[in-house]
Amino acid sequence: QVQLVESGGGLVQPGGSLRLSCTASGNIYRINTMAWYRRAPGKQRELVASILSGGSATYVDSVMGRFTISRDNSKNTVYLQMNSLKPEDTAVYFCYVDNVGGPDYDYWGQGTQVTVSS
């Protein structure tokens, strides 16, 4: 019912920046939570940042002050601005949205690779 399309991943040097985007389309009722998760090699998936429809955002401690999550509700799009990237940020990043009131609820993007290396 809902499709998520991610973009913006790639290879950057330490200290560089990337901006991830994720756009939802399809049978959208109401998206409350939009979030970015990541899974690094040898680690469990972790929540990087989330933002509610009203704009309140949360971050994992390791990215505080470096990453910023934002959303454009008119476009059903969530962004993750990543600055001062570190090698430990290397991971596959996944977009997540809910679809409150719809026949389905949880939706995930396909994942986009972020690699931070010199």
Side-chain angles (χ1 to χ4, degrees), residues 4-42:
L4 302 180
V5 178
E6 299 166 324
S7 64
L11 172 65
V12 297
Q13 294 186 348
S17 297
L18 286 174
R19 182 178 173 87
L20 305 183
S21 299
C22 174
T23 298
S25 62
N27 188 19
I28 298 173
Y29 284 73
R30 182 178 71 85
I31 296 176
N32 185 31
T33 303
M34 305 188 84
W36 290 96
Y37 289 75
R38 68 185 180 188
R39 182 165 54 245

Side-chain angles (χ1 to χ4, degrees), residues 41-90:
K43 295 184 177 181
Q44 293 183 317
R45 183 185 66 188
E46 69 173 345
L47 175 63
V48 179
S50 66
I51 184 168
L52 302 182
S53 61
S56 60
T58 60
Y59 301 89
V60 67
D61 287 346
S62 61
V63 309
M64 285 289 295
R66 300 188 297 119
F67 291 11
T68 301
I69 189 170
S70 61
R71 62 191 287 172
D72 185 338
N73 291 331
S74 68
K75 299 179 179 179
N76 294 127
T77 298
V78 61
Y79 306 93
L80 186 66
Q81 179 67 48
M82 304 185 293
N83 299 324
S84 302
L85 283 162
K86 304 175 181 179
E88 51 263 45
D89 295 318
T90 296

